Amino acid sequence: MSRIIVLRDRTDNWRRPAVPLAASVAPLRPEIPAEPMLEVVEVDPAGLRQLMRDPSVLTVAPAMPTRIVNPEPLDDLRSTDVVPGWGARAIGADWTQSTGAGVRVAMLDTGIDKAHPAFAGVTITGQDFVGTGLSDANGHGTHLAGTLLGRDQGGTRIGVARGITDLKVGKVLSDNGFGRTDGFLRAVLWAFREQADIIAFALSFDIAAQVEVLTRDGYPRVQATTAAVNAYRGNLRIFELMMEMMCATGGPLLLGAIGNDSLRVISPDFETAASAPAAARHVMAIGACGPGSEEDPGLVPAVFCNVGPALVAPGVGIVSASLGGGIKTLNGTSMAMAHAAGVAALWAEVMRAEREAVTARSLAAKLISTATRKGLRRGQTILDCGFGLVQAPRARLD
């Protein structure tokens, strides 16, 4: 028996064409909500074939492992080099009047330490998708939430959008940093139904772990690798179809950490592209940057950051909330993504005040059009920094 994710279409808007290469979907009928219908079932090969005879089934894929976008070591960063709040200053969060008030954000990660004083005054609504409870014994989710909206700690600023009071937390990674795609996809749909304006995540579909699972189940190594790649592709396809269905009526903006899989510190050749699901259509992949050297100043891509981001944000030496109270410093594209999610919340507040619709498309366009290359080291290409460094709304002049 295999654990299979099933995506259904209840509206008949997304049916596959009967003729290959024909138009992929019929015109949308706006009177019918285009909400995805997701199921997870246990079936054998015969049951899978029977399932695919159901005309409401759009596509299926085997559930596969996911893993956290792990923080990178701080070995190359002396404690004296850490400047708390430098990220907020770099993106202009310290001179904007916007706070993110009224904006609803969903963070899909390792849960949250709800008792941390950084979240005082925040209504946290959560759901556990891994079966270990909403509390965060890992610390990653707590750190991200602190960067997103955390209140100042001991005079140290950690949060970008400190006016957010409504946070949705989906625990999609267990305390050891691992999860499954079915939990992540169900969490995305949950956040959509909770009417989140922004959905943020920092995980990747884990092909290597899927190969190991299949090998233990008796698959020859070559077949296991092929099956794992097919599972990766199938899960990505489900995710992209879900996003198309959600965005057809506006939908939330999804921001994903691009990944920490590059090894530029060893060789410039050791770069890799965005990991899925951040690589999916309808997702803004966020890369990490950090300060350059005294001899060659300007923000530069972090040595661990994957290439090809839509935007970059501070992700080196980021001070934020730690488990049990207090603060700690982490590196990673996860930290950059949390900065970008905070900036997105600031812009969503401004757009609503100006009676501009806040949708995935309009909010993404705002982030791209207001990004800057000022402060970035010269010579960087779109592979390095995408459209540039995210920027908060500027303060208004009375």
Side-chain angles (χ1 to χ4, degrees):
M1 301 288 282
S2 299
R3 190 174 180 86
I4 299 295
I5 304 169
V6 183
L7 182 64
R8 295 182 184 271
D9 175 22
R10 296 183 293 188
T11 67
D12 205 30
N13 278 335
W14 305 90
R15 189 72 47 237
R16 293 176 180 174
V19 180
L21 303 183
S24 59
V25 295
L28 288 174
R29 293 176 288 172
E31 73 277 6
I32 302 178
E35 181 179 308
M37 181 177 176
L38 201 67
E39 297 176 0
V40 181
V41 298
E42 300 277 350
V43 296
D44 58 16
L48 178 60
R49 286 169 172 78
Q50 181 64 32
L51 180 67
M52 292 305 295
R53 295 189 180 98
D54 187 333
S56 72
V57 173
L58 280 177
T59 188
V60 302
M64 66 180 293
T66 59
R67 62 177 173 85
I68 194 173
V69 176
N70 276 312
E72 289 300 297
L74 293 165
D75 298 342
D76 59 340
L77 191 71
R78 300 188 305 270
S79 59
T80 54
D81 294 332
V82 175
V83 180
W86 82 264
R89 287 190 290 277
I91 59 178
D94 58 346
W95 45 249
T96 184
Q97 293 177 346
S98 304
T99 66
V103 180
R104 186 173 295 174
V105 181
M107 186 71 74
L108 311 182
D109 207 82
T110 61
I112 191 169
D113 179 359
K114 296 173 69 172
H116 197 292
F119 310 125
V122 180
T123 299
I124 298 174
T125 305
Q127 189 156 329
D128 173 23
F129 294 92
V130 292
T132 60
L134 193 64
S135 62
D136 180 13
N138 181 286
H140 191 260
T142 298
H143 196 277
L144 297 190
T147 301
L148 168 67
L149 55 74
R151 282 46 177 161
D152 295 1
Q153 295 298 294
T156 298
R157 178 168 186 168
I158 63 172
V160 174
R162 297 174 294 179
I164 294 176
T165 57
D166 188 355
L167 178 65
K168 308 297 178 183
V169 175
K171 186 167 182 178
V172 297
L173 296 165
S174 60
D175 296 331
N176 62 6
F178 295 96
R180 297 189 65 82
T181 50
D182 51 314
F184 169 71
L185 295 172
R186 288 190 292 114
V188 170
L189 188 53
W190 167 77
F192 171 69
R193 289 170 175 162
E194 290 287 320
Q195 300 181 322
D197 299 302
I198 300 157
I199 301 176
F201 61 87
L203 57 80
S204 61
F205 297 167
D206 195 342
I207 293 180
Q210 180 72 349
V211 171
E212 294 305 316
V213 168
L214 295 173
T215 301
R216 288 197 300 269
D217 287 345
Y219 278 64
R221 193 76 181 184
V222 172
Q223 187 182 17
T225 301
T226 301
V229 171
N230 287 336
Y232 178 92
R233 183 175 58 189
N235 278 272
L236 186 60
R237 174 60 175 158
I238 287 180
F239 181 51
E240 290 183 334
L241 268 173
M242 282 177 55
M243 290 306 303
E244 287 181 28
M245 297 167 82
M246 289 158 55
C247 292
T249 53
L253 174 66
L254 264 77
L255 300 173
I258 197 171
N260 301 341
D261 305 307
S262 293
L263 296 172
R264 307 182 203 205
V265 70
I266 298 176
S267 169
D269 296 330
F270 292 172
E271 297 177 338
T272 187
S275 60
R281 294 192 302 272
H282 307 291
V283 176
M284 296 195 77
I286 306 299
C289 62
S293 63
E294 291 183 4
E295 298 77 19
D296 196 1
L299 297 178
V300 296
V303 294
F304 50 78
C305 182
N306 294 355
V307 300
L311 296 163
V312 293
V316 176
I318 305 304
V319 178
S320 188
S322 179
L323 292 181
I327 54 179
K328 69 177 180 179
T329 306
L330 292 177
N331 288 340
T333 55
S334 304
M335 289 73 239
M337 180 278 299
H339 277 86
V343 171
L346 299 179
W347 276 112
E349 178 194 5
V350 170
M351 292 167 67
R352 288 216 170 97
E354 296 177 348
R355 302 189 184 282
E356 183 179 350
V358 176
T359 66
R361 186 182 297 273
S362 66
L363 192 48
K366 186 69 72 174
L367 291 178
I368 290 171
S369 65
T370 58
T372 183
R373 287 180 177 267
K374 291 182 180 180
L376 299 176
R377 183 180 292 174
R378 290 185 179 181
Q380 295 180 45
T381 70
I382 194 168
L383 279 177
D384 300 309
C385 61
F387 293 100
L389 178 69
V390 294
Q391 288 292 286
R394 289 187 176 274
R396 298 181 180 280
L397 297 177
D398 296 328

